[in-house]
Amino acid sequence: MKCITLFSLCACLRSTYAILILLLASTTAVSAADTPDNSVLKHNTVILLYHHVSEETPASTSISPDTFESHMAYLSKHHTVIALTQAVDAITGGASLPENSVVITFDDGYANILHNAHPILAKYGFPYTVFINPNEIGAHRQQLTWQQVDAMHNEGVTFANHTLDHIHMLDNSQTNTHWLADVWQNVEQAEATLKDKVGVSLQYLAYPFGEFNEPLAAQVKRANYIGFGQHSGAVGPLSDTSALPRFPAAGPYSNLATLKTKLKSIAMPVVNSTVVNPALTSHTPPASVTLTIGNADTGLDIASDVSITQTQCFFGGEKISTKTSSNKITFYLETQLPTGRSRVNCTAPSKAHRGRYYWYSQPFFVANEQGRYPD
């Protein structure tokens, strides 16, 4: 079963609620321009991540069909749901998107996506993408079959790569000199199977468990793939295409009231981070991390809309020390990182768009003593 640890679940949940409470409390302090420039919003999207749509599956990665329908009903009234391919093409090619656009994705290819989610998505006419593990398809009752995948594909559902068998891609990465070649062979075999079974090779890779490191991200770019993580945040023209963020929207994150704030988030325009590799060799984090805010060659003036002095960063549900300058955000971690997955989330209000916040998430990954990562 692919699920997150209780420790990381509780820590991430505390962090998310702390962020949302402070965001809502500070909304009135942000002044809106008389005529806001909406160009930033037209080059921004939010990607949602679901797993199970069922009341009979692990709570940490599940959403009930009724709650899922409430999400879709809200999206139909307040947002434009677009295909993942449209979002990627726009972000990488500089094209504009509908304001308040949202992308729907699922990981793992569970059969309840077809039985419970697909009819709801079809009702609203929403496109969506399922990241699947080809070796798992049809392997047991919980999984889709290839016949079902083919039928869904013919109805417009997009399928993409989640590795052959949902491996921890970073296991033994610090000791096995052939590690990268081995995991990339797994990715290429999965992509070839998708091409054979579905007839499409998008070269989109959703990292199992959201885990990646610098060598793997570099390989994703070299091979002209687009990578997707499980850390939170919106996607914009400066987002790292080797690890695009997605907001989890199931389990403890399925509350629509808190999801609404995330749906309005804007991608923080980070042009540089002092974190080179999110996979660390020990539980001791870098003493400080500095993010540089800018516009690069986007042709958009995003950075000037970030109320950088009001930036707040959170780790494990607690606000952490943060300092800012004209174009830099520095946060300080003074605690040991847990084994597995954790992250720091930073937000800053938009000057022009009342109630909207720039969002950036920095994930960290720490192996256990055996060099492996827990589910």
Side-chain angles (χ1 to χ4, degrees):
M1 185 59 59
K2 296 91 175 179
C3 59
I4 59 179
T5 63
L6 180 60
F7 181 93
S8 62
L9 172 63
C10 293
C12 290
L13 184 57
R14 289 196 304 271
S15 179
T16 298
Y17 275 98
I19 291 171
L20 294 173
I21 289 170
L22 285 168
L23 293 187
L24 292 171
S26 61
T27 297
T28 56
V30 182
S31 60
D34 292 334
T35 56
D37 179 3
N38 290 339
S39 61
V40 170
L41 304 183
K42 292 179 180 178
H43 292 83
N44 186 83
T45 194
V46 167
I47 305 176
L48 298 180
L49 167 61
Y50 297 94
H51 286 81
H52 291 283
V53 181
S54 173
E55 294 181 300
E56 301 175 354
T57 45
S60 62
T61 53
S62 299
I63 184 172
S64 72
D66 286 346
T67 302
F68 183 75
E69 171 132 29
S70 73
H71 286 194
M72 299 305 107
Y74 179 81
L75 293 180
S76 72
K77 293 179 180 178
H78 302 283
H79 294 269
T80 300
V81 176
I82 62 174
L84 182 59
T85 51
Q86 181 183 353
V88 169
D89 290 347
I91 294 302
T92 57
S96 62
L97 290 167
E99 287 186 36
N100 300 314
S101 65
V102 176
V103 176
I104 298 168
T105 69
F106 295 84
D107 280 3
D108 300 345
Y110 293 114
N112 56 57
I113 298 170
L114 171 62
H115 300 317
N116 298 332
H118 185 74
I120 297 170
L121 291 158
K123 170 184 172 181
Y124 290 101
F126 289 166
Y128 67 98
T129 295
V130 185
F131 289 95
I132 60 174
N133 312 106
N135 282 2
E136 300 291 317
I137 297 300
H140 50 82
R141 190 173 59 182
Q142 279 195 320
Q143 283 283 333
L144 294 166
T145 66
W146 282 115
Q147 184 178 11
Q148 290 170 329
V149 168
D150 185 60
M152 293 168 71
H153 172 69
N154 290 336
E155 292 185 29
V157 180
T158 299
F159 289 90
N161 195 334
H162 200 36
T163 72
L164 276 175
D165 42 11
H166 209 281
I167 58 172
H168 281 280
M169 299 186 79
L170 303 188
D171 276 359
N172 302 313
S173 58
Q174 297 168 17
T175 57
N176 180 2
T177 56
H178 302 290
W179 155 79
L180 184 57
D182 292 343
V183 297
W184 198 251
Q185 182 180 41
N186 183 302
V187 170
E188 289 188 323
Q189 289 176 350
E191 194 70 22
T193 304
L194 281 166
K195 175 68 173 177
D196 178 60
K197 295 288 190 179
V198 186
V200 176
S201 173
L202 293 173
Q203 296 191 175
Y204 293 174
L205 172 65
Y207 301 114
F209 307 98
E211 297 165 350
F212 63 95
N213 61 11
E214 189 277 331
L216 180 55
Q219 176 60 31
V220 165
K221 286 188 175 181
R222 279 195 301 271
N224 295 315
Y225 276 65
I226 303 293
F228 298 87
Q230 293 186 14
H231 51 295
S232 56
V235 174
L238 289 169
S239 297
D240 181 358
T241 57
S242 69
L244 294 176
R246 296 182 291 168
F247 277 110
Y253 308 105
S254 62
N255 185 296
L256 182 56
T258 55
L259 184 62
K260 290 176 182 179
T261 300
K262 300 172 188 176
L263 288 167
K264 294 172 66 177
S265 65
I266 309 171
M268 187 83 79
V270 174
V271 295
N272 186 65
S273 169
T274 55
V275 175
V276 176
N277 192 344
L280 306 181
T281 57
S282 76
H283 293 273
T284 302
S288 65
V289 172
T290 297
L291 310 174
T292 302
I293 306 302
N295 298 311
D297 57 355
T298 62
L300 300 168
D301 184 12
I302 307 172
S304 66
D305 185 49
V306 181
S307 186
I308 197 167
T309 59
Q310 293 182 265
T311 301
Q312 299 181 94
C313 297
F314 302 83
F315 177 77
E318 301 294 332
K319 185 178 177 182
I320 60 176
S321 177
T322 306
K323 293 183 179 179
T324 62
S325 64
S326 60
N327 70 329
K328 294 184 187 297
I329 299 167
T330 300
F331 61 80
Y332 300 85
L333 279 169
E334 300 174 351
T335 184
Q336 295 289 288
L337 298 177
T339 298
R341 302 171 292 281
S342 59
R343 63 177 179 254
V344 172
N345 290 326
C346 295
T347 63
S350 163
K351 296 177 182 177
H353 304 283
R354 183 184 295 274
R356 304 194 77 139
Y357 294 82
Y358 288 89
W359 192 303
Y360 184 83
S361 181
Q362 175 59 63
F364 293 104
F365 310 106
V366 180
N368 62 21
E369 293 180 355
Q370 290 73 44
R372 304 179 71 85
Y373 292 78
D375 288 356

